[in-house]
Amino acid sequence: MTQETAIFAGGCFWCTEAVFQSLSGVEGVESGYIGGTVENPTYKQVCGGDTGHAEAIRITFDPAVISYDDLLDVHFATHDPTTLNRQGNDIGTQYRSALFPLDAAQADAARAGITRAAADWPAPIVTTIESASQWYPAEDYHQSYWDGEGQRNPYCMAVIPPKLAKLRKGFSDRLRAE
């Protein structure tokens, strides 16, 4: 099996991780930090907004089951790519909507994905395409957050179920078998 990797930022990584781990063909989702200037940043540093990092997810997927284009379409449908440096009440560059292509083909696909998604949004998409710089995995307690602590976190309970409902409505054919 060939595996590929995609790196997306679309607000709180707890919320984006919960969406993508539900997809058939996604082998793993790791929450982490990318796009900043501080080596080995902590969650507290990134939340402070001074490191330049985005909260992001690194998705490992089987392209024979789900394509990079499919992942892009899910990304644009399950967060608001029209708000600069914010998702809902989360405000700051760490919550920006960004794509971090790992090669020229992903960069081309990212540009095409933005164009495809633009028709579905009433405002212009502000998602950036950034160079894939050093990836830093988030602390262990952030990984698979929705599967554990997130189910008891009021913020997650308010944000994640509507995202999962959008996913089920628009991409039911892409969901992992329960």
Side-chain angles (χ1 to χ4, degrees):
M1 176 181 76
T2 304
Q3 283 190 334
E4 292 184 22
T5 302
I7 301 175
F8 299 158
C12 167
F13 50 32
W14 296 337
C15 303
T16 53
E17 178 191 74
V19 167
F20 284 90
Q21 68 187 11
S22 301
L23 295 170
S24 182
V26 169
E27 306 297 329
V29 182
E30 180 180 56
S31 291
Y33 316 113
I34 191 169
T37 57
V38 173
E39 285 189 33
N40 298 306
T42 64
Y43 181 65
K44 185 174 182 179
Q45 287 174 310
V46 172
C47 284
D50 299 324
T51 69
H53 290 89
E55 284 193 21
I57 54 171
R58 184 166 63 175
I59 305 159
T60 306
F61 65 100
D62 178 352
V65 179
I66 192 164
S67 70
Y68 185 77
D69 286 344
D70 291 333
L71 295 175
L72 287 168
D73 292 346
V74 168
H75 178 67
F76 285 112
T78 56
H79 85 291
D80 184 347
T82 69
T83 54
L84 187 63
N85 298 327
R86 79 177 295 160
Q87 285 296 303
N89 292 326
D90 292 334
I91 301 171
T93 58
Q94 67 272 31
Y95 301 114
R96 67 188 178 270
S97 177
L99 304 170
F100 297 87
L102 301 175
D103 58 31
Q106 283 190 358
D108 290 343
R111 285 187 287 277
I114 289 171
T115 300
R116 255 191 334 273
D120 297 328
W121 290 96
I125 290 179
V126 297
T127 302
T128 56
I129 299 174
E130 301 180 29
S131 297
S133 56
Q134 177 68 45
W135 172 261
Y136 296 102
E139 296 83 348
D140 286 347
Y141 71 92
H142 294 295
Q143 308 304 330
S144 300
Y145 190 79
W146 177 241
D147 293 338
E149 183 66 28
Q151 303 279 334
R152 296 180 297 283
N153 180 316
Y155 166 83
C156 291
M157 291 302 293
V159 174
I160 294 175
K163 286 181 178 289
L164 294 176
K166 281 184 186 176
L167 179 70
R168 283 190 296 276
K169 183 177 180 190
F171 301 92
S172 60
D173 60 328
R174 295 279 176 215
L175 295 178
R176 183 181 307 280
E178 295 289 322

